[in-house]
Amino acid sequence: MPVAMTDLPTEFPDFGLTLHQRRQAVRGLYWEWPGMDSEHGEIWCYSDRFSYRRGETVTLHVSSTASSFSMAIVRDGGIETKMSEKAGIAARWQDTPDQCSVLGCGWDASFEFRVGDDWPSGAYRVTLTADGRDGKPVRCHHLFIVTPQPGKKRGRVLQVAATSTWLAYSTWGGSNHYEGITGPNRDQYAPMVSTQRPWCRGFVVLPKEAPRVPLEVAVAPKTVPRYPHMEWAFATGHSKKYASSGWASYDSHFFRFAERAAYAVDLASQHELHFSPEILDGYDCVVFVGHDEYWTWEMRDAVDAYVERGGHAARFAGNFMWQTRLEDEGRRQVCYKYRARAEDPVYRGGDVTRATNSWEAPEIGRPGATTFGLNATRGIYAGWGGCAPRGVRGFPVYRPEHWAFAGTGIYYGDLLGADSHVYGYEVDGLDHEIHGGLPYPTPDSGAPDGLEILAVGMAAQVEESADIPFEHQFLGDEDGRFTAETLFGEASDANLDKVKRGNGMIVNFRRGKGEVFHAGSCEWVAGLLRQDAMVERVTRNVLDRYLGKS
Ligand SMILES: [Fe+2]
């Protein structure tokens, strides 16, 4: 049933945590590691790659306290299809290095199988089940992608899963690009993360009740922010970052919607964009969704060239922020982020345009807007913490006559997707000005020629309140200071003031022989998940036009 949320509760949901536990849920470092459930027994699994073609061999690396396990593989699309089942596969416990998030687990291969010749492109969920020490079953979930076959793809959509962002956020093993156990005091985030480890809990499957990041609460005056998703994660044993990234929270909702709406949709990982850019050839429409924050230079080259020669890119995603590099044939992702200028070796004699810093760092010279029309540092947070917690829940529409809104019934000044809360929790924007009631990019915004702004909402890059003390802020002004320094050379108050007010947009522009449509919000997929008719219609308008159906 479609959901309308006009009557929001006034209290935060409560998951039974004490005050101390609630603080721990948000401020504490907690993660999945081999040995964490040794009393009950464990099973963990990863595959050698993110994606495979038909006929290729998937190698699973498994570590378990049990001596055997069973495996079920389900294709997770518009419907769930059981593809294969097998019982009695041998397992053993395998040692894992302390810094496995960085180095990979290094487990021996446990089991191999061949991707069937009739397995359609898509996401394949692997569930391993074994007997726990107390007789109760223990389980783990993994996901791999089956990529499309080469050849013409007339009428088909290619969705590229945001696997670089999954990798950046995965908490498995203790370190990711946000927090971690690296450095002399075991308290630093990892600038390098390995694909050779299991996904964290909640990236592959989630129960329906798992909260999304944006608040579904009418926040009372002077309220100290709470973070229901992290509290729920802490209370239920899920990853602290389950709601920030992953197939279950983001990419799956578009893929399932597209199949249910009878689109022919294929799936690839970002590794294909990087290593096999020809995968885009022949598609009329390529789609990016959800929280899509980490890209390599080569991935952008692939999309830019595809659009130039007549392709259509539709991005329903937010936070186009960081350049990454891939090493070890893609098994290692590098992103120094906030420490790039101090630590990334390319600043000491390498090619500085490949620095793993914000795309908008002047030394890189390739703002995200040149590919997708919007920039991350002009956008950022909305609808959580102290960043516009009572802000718009949908996109304020300025150009309702645009083809993307045909048939929605939307008016000038309406909010698109407010009921389903599509606006947040990270959005991408542009510096702009309003004339005669219509927004235009400013001349120095970096917007591509001819870009049209269809919708604009407000966002914040700092958590700032006269009523909430700094120690109660989770986001604070760290990101804002970083952006100030990256763009203007110094993290001064004056520079912070230039960057702290952001926005999130829907934009459309032509490039070469092709075209880009970009609804710059992580939460667009919430509109598809919650069956918001207007959000579904806009999504279909974009797909239909780009597939030549309308
Ligand atoms: Fe992000």
Side-chain angles (χ1 to χ4, degrees):
M1 268 297 285
V3 178
M5 293 199 190
T6 39
D7 295 316
L8 294 173
T10 52
E11 298 288 326
F12 285 103
D14 193 277
F15 304 108
L17 301 182
T18 65
L19 206 59
H20 175 75
Q21 287 171 324
R22 269 157 43 186
R23 195 174 167 81
Q24 187 64 13
V26 177
R27 308 294 174 118
L29 189 58
Y30 48 100
W31 65 91
E32 301 87 335
W33 48 280
M36 67 186 292
D37 288 328
S38 52
E39 197 186 321
H40 302 292
E42 296 172 32
I43 185 162
W44 303 105
C45 160
Y46 63 91
S47 53
D48 57 329
R49 284 158 38 193
F50 285 157
S51 52
Y52 306 85
R53 278 190 192 171
R54 289 176 187 171
E56 288 190 322
T57 298
V58 180
T59 302
L60 292 186
H61 301 257
V62 178
S63 179
S64 179
T65 51
S67 58
S68 72
F69 64 91
S70 63
M71 175 183 77
I73 300 177
V74 167
R75 183 179 182 278
D76 184 359
I79 53 167
E80 294 198 349
T81 313
K82 191 168 271 189
M83 305 305 290
S84 107
E85 262 183 313
K86 191 172 169 65
I89 308 168
R92 64 182 172 85
W93 189 252
Q94 307 212 39
D95 289 337
T96 310
D98 173 61
Q99 294 294 321
C100 56
S101 303
V102 179
L103 303 169
C105 290
W107 298 339
D108 289 338
S110 311
F111 184 64
E112 287 182 352
F113 59 90
R114 190 173 168 274
V115 176
D117 292 329
D118 56 350
W119 289 20
S121 175
Y124 287 74
R125 194 167 75 218
V126 183
T127 302
L128 305 189
T129 309
D131 289 336
R133 294 193 200 282
D134 49 9
K136 291 186 190 143
V138 291
R139 225 168 243 119
C140 71
H141 300 287
H142 184 61
L143 189 99
F144 66 90
I145 289 168
V146 173
T147 57
Q149 297 297 104
K152 267 290 181 198
K153 300 298 190 317
R154 193 64 60 206
R156 297 189 73 81
V157 180
L158 179 67
Q159 179 182 346
V160 180
T163 43
S164 303
T165 302
W166 302 358
L167 192 56
Y169 275 94
S170 179
T171 49
W172 206 95
S175 300
N176 55 27
H177 286 337
Y178 293 82
E179 294 179 308
I181 55 169
T182 70
N185 302 318
R186 297 174 65 80
D187 61 357
Q188 292 187 358
Y189 69 81
M192 294 183 193
V193 289
S194 174
T195 63
Q196 302 299 294
R197 58 187 168 127
W199 290 119
C200 58
R201 284 178 171 169
F203 268 27
V204 177
V205 279
L206 277 174
K208 275 199 171 60
E209 68 272 17
R212 302 189 68 78
V213 177
L215 294 170
E216 304 303 346
V217 177
V219 181
K222 300 186 185 181
T223 302
V224 173
R226 280 178 62 178
Y227 299 88
H229 68 285
M230 286 188 266
E231 293 183 18
W232 182 86
F234 193 86
T236 61
H238 284 82
S239 167
K240 187 181 183 182
K241 298 293 190 189
Y242 83 86
S244 298
S245 185
W247 170 258
S249 282
Y250 292 94
D251 311 71
S252 60
H253 302 311
F254 181 90
F255 193 81
R256 292 180 195 143
F257 159 79
E259 288 206 335
R260 284 176 193 151
Y263 290 98
V265 53
D266 294 329
L267 192 68
S269 78
Q270 284 181 266
H271 273 52
E272 277 72 61
L273 277 189
H274 183 96
F275 292 108
S276 324
E278 68 282 357
I279 194 162
L280 302 181
D281 292 349
Y283 282 98
D284 293 318
C285 183
V286 176
V287 171
F288 306 88
V289 308
H291 193 170
D292 181 28
E293 183 173 350
Y294 295 83
W295 281 59
T296 65
W297 187 276
E298 293 80 0
M299 294 170 191
R300 290 188 62 181
D301 282 349
V303 173
D304 287 350
Y306 163 77
V307 174
E308 279 287 344
R309 59 178 188 260
H312 304 101
R315 186 170 189 264
F316 305 98
N319 202 215
F320 197 88
M321 180 68 185
W322 302 105
Q323 172 161 229
T324 58
R325 294 191 302 270
L326 294 180
E327 297 180 350
D328 191 20
E329 298 174 327
R331 285 184 283 265
R332 187 162 54 239
Q333 174 169 292
V334 181
C335 197
Y336 285 86
K337 301 180 69 173
Y338 307 106
R339 298 174 356 220
R341 284 179 180 163
E343 295 180 30
D344 189 339
V346 301
Y347 281 92
R348 297 187 299 277
D351 176 1
V352 80
T353 65
R354 304 302 173 94
T356 57
N357 203 331
S358 165
W359 285 112
E360 291 146 76
E363 62 271 24
I364 294 178
R366 199 179 184 188
T370 63
T371 296
F372 286 116
L374 299 175
N375 284 326
T377 71
R378 290 294 166 189
I380 215 102
Y381 306 120
W384 68 306
C387 292
R390 307 171 188 91
V392 286
R393 297 162 52 91
F395 277 103
V397 169
Y398 283 81
R399 289 186 162 91
E401 68 283 1
H402 188 270
W403 57 258
F405 303 127
T408 59
I410 204 157
Y411 292 90
Y412 177 85
D414 270 357
L415 298 180
L416 172 71
D419 284 345
S420 57
H421 206 161
V422 301
Y423 187 81
Y425 76 101
E426 294 180 348
V427 294
D428 291 336
L430 278 182
D431 202 18
H432 64 286
E433 50 206 4
I434 306 261
H435 298 295
L438 290 173
Y440 300 89
T442 54
D444 58 357
S445 65
D449 285 346
L451 174 136
E452 201 171 21
I453 300 171
L454 313 183
V456 189
M458 291 161 78
Q461 184 147 208
V462 298
E463 203 174 349
E464 200 171 44
S465 162
D467 301 307
I468 307 299
F470 193 75
E471 69 265 22
H472 288 313
Q473 297 174 3
F474 172 62
L475 295 160
D477 64 2
E478 232 174 283
D479 283 333
R481 299 258 173 210
F482 169 78
T483 299
E485 188 184 347
T486 304
L487 300 188
F488 304 113
E490 202 193 326
S492 63
D493 287 352
N495 287 337
L496 182 65
D497 196 65
K498 292 182 202 165
V499 302
K500 68 184 183 185
R501 301 172 196 91
N503 60 80
M505 291 184 174
I506 303 177
V507 297
N508 175 221
F509 62 97
R510 290 173 194 277
R511 175 194 181 129
K513 293 179 182 160
E515 188 172 324
V516 175
F517 180 91
H518 187 186
S521 172
C522 294
E523 288 294 307
W524 186 270
V525 291
L528 305 178
L529 169 68
R530 293 167 177 156
Q531 300 177 35
D532 185 320
M534 284 162 89
V535 176
E536 291 183 340
R537 179 63 194 251
V538 173
T539 309
R540 286 194 281 116
N541 286 346
V542 174
L543 298 180
D544 289 349
R545 181 182 172 95
Y546 287 173
L547 293 172
K549 290 185 183 175
S550 64

